Amino acid sequence: MKKIKDSFAGVIFGFILLIVGTCLLWWNEGNNVRNIATTNEVAKTAIEISSDKVDSSNEGKLVVVSDKLNVIDENVTDTEFNISLKTANLKRTVEVYQWVQKEDTDDDGNTTYSYEKEWSEDLIDSSNFKQGGHENPSSIPYSSESFYAKDVKLGAFSLSSDQVEKLSPDKTYNAKETEAKEGYNYQAEYLTNAEDIGKPQVGDIRISWSYNDWVETTVLAVQKGESFAAFTSNKGKTVNRVEKGTLTIDQIVEKMNKENKFMKWLLRGVGALLIVFGYLSILGPISTLASFVPILGGIVGGLLGVLALLVGLVHSLIIIVIAWFRFRPVLSIVLLVVIVALILCIIKLLKSKKKPIEQTEVQQA
């Protein structure tokens, strides 16, 4: 009875997934169009300027500037652990060794739980675990934190605070020579309270540091005095990029286009999966009822899975087509023609298979 109740409760969850997946697909198509328009606007309006001096005639213009990154501050310091380094961005990462609950649901809807141990920055609440004996710590003495330089130069220009935060830490800092806190010791690149970091126990802590080690750096933003500000496109998208290396406008635009395409297809895939799983949940009660008949259960479950996949994909395509009519009217017509052609091919294929069957039946009669 519980199995049937859970399957009917899953119907509500299924409708929620359908709504979320549909909204995500719709938003993604509009957002992608805005990203494309913004990238095209950047390609047309951005100018490459020298970093040697601040030219007031470029005030308010979208500019591309490249030079060596120069941290004016003496050092950036994590005072808690007395870690001091000349960098634009110093990050402390604190991880705790904890239990993680894994769920596995079979075709009959039965869920089993297993438990593994792994390092995590976030505290995992073990009070909701289905099985006891897997308690995690409820608190940790330290937390992950980032520290930033206040004055970072790119030639004659100063980076804004949000640009400094974009300078990602890309190199590990080995703090072995720094005095360890009581109860902690250095093992490999970690400061830890574990006796052997290679064989940690639940509750053990490991702390590491990473820092920004960029040299040549490129900024794409609006010149504002001796610094920079975010660019807002006609579509309302903001652009304020800090890139590693020396890049031209064309190279940055190419990178933006690749990012847009990746995000577009990623969100399309996520939206389609949400819709497919939504239909699976809605059809769940039928599969559950059929499962009470051993042979029938597997067949019905498989057929419903295929049905949910097909209906989910058609649902996703329809949403994309409608969104394209809203955001890309010309391309939407092309996609609509393709869909109609596919449907006609399927109908023709079904009819071609049906004729031999009918002929066989007539011969047998």
Side-chain angles (χ1 to χ4, degrees), residues 99-345:
W99 286 107
V100 179
Q101 179 177 270
K102 306 286 186 179
E103 296 183 15
D104 183 33
T105 303
D106 60 23
D107 295 336
D108 296 326
N110 300 313
T111 302
T112 56
Y113 300 91
S114 59
Y115 297 86
E116 299 176 2
K117 291 176 279 188
E118 63 182 41
W119 292 101
S120 174
E121 283 188 70
D122 301 315
L123 281 174
I124 300 171
D125 185 4
S126 58
S127 63
N128 296 320
F129 285 179
K130 297 297 182 180
Q131 297 178 13
H134 304 93
E135 286 73 29
N136 286 328
S138 58
S139 63
I140 52 176
Y142 308 106
S143 60
S144 297
E145 192 172 348
S146 293
F147 309 90
Y148 305 102
K150 295 180 180 179
D151 192 0
V152 181
K153 293 279 191 179
L154 196 68
F157 294 90
S158 295
L159 298 190
S160 62
S161 57
D162 56 338
Q163 287 176 328
V164 173
E165 293 178 11
K166 293 176 187 291
L167 297 168
S168 58
D170 60 332
K171 192 169 184 178
T172 300
Y173 177 63
N174 195 325
K176 278 187 175 181
E177 295 181 2
T178 306
E179 184 179 354
K181 280 184 172 290
E182 184 177 353
Y184 288 78
N185 62 90
Y186 285 103
Q187 297 182 40
E189 73 269 24
Y190 297 103
L191 174 66
T192 181
N193 60 353
E195 291 185 8
D196 183 354
I197 201 169
K199 299 177 181 178
Q201 304 298 314
V202 171
D204 283 349
I205 297 171
R206 71 180 187 185
I207 306 171
S208 61
W209 287 267
S210 55
Y211 64 99
N212 177 270
D213 192 38
W214 293 9
V215 181
E216 295 292 337
T217 305
T218 301
V219 164
L220 169 65
V222 172
Q223 180 176 315
K224 184 179 180 181
E226 296 182 354
S227 187
F228 304 98
F231 168 74
T232 302
S233 71
N234 292 329
K235 293 294 184 180
K237 304 289 288 188
T238 59
V239 178
N240 188 5
R241 299 179 69 100
V242 183
E243 306 283 354
K244 184 177 182 179
T246 301
L247 303 179
T248 63
I249 294 174
D250 290 341
Q251 288 173 322
I252 295 176
V253 167
E254 182 182 0
K255 189 173 183 179
M256 292 174 68
N257 280 325
K258 287 181 179 179
E259 292 171 356
N260 292 342
K261 288 179 181 178
F262 174 78
M263 187 57 63
K264 173 185 68 178
W265 285 105
L266 174 65
L267 294 182
R268 278 180 179 173
V270 171
L273 281 176
L274 289 174
I275 290 171
V276 169
F277 280 116
Y279 280 114
L280 276 174
S281 298
I282 292 171
L283 296 172
I286 300 175
S287 180
T288 300
L289 292 172
S291 67
F292 289 102
V293 181
I295 299 177
L296 187 62
I299 297 174
V300 172
L303 290 173
L304 290 177
V306 174
L307 179 62
L309 176 62
L310 293 175
V311 174
L313 291 177
V314 171
H315 180 143
S316 301
L317 283 172
I318 290 173
I319 296 302
I320 292 173
V321 168
I322 296 173
W324 277 24
F325 270 113
R326 167 65 178 83
F327 302 109
R328 301 177 176 183
V330 176
L331 288 176
S332 63
I333 294 174
V334 176
L335 182 58
L336 184 59
V337 170
V338 172
I339 292 174
V340 171
L342 287 173
I343 293 174
L344 291 175
C345 288

Side-chain angles (χ1 to χ4, degrees), residues 14-33:
F15 279 109
I16 294 173
L17 288 179
L18 287 183
I19 294 171
V20 173
T22 299
C23 292
L24 178 61
L25 287 177
W26 179 271
W27 176 86
N28 180 50
E29 295 307 316
N31 183 63
N32 183 57
V33 169

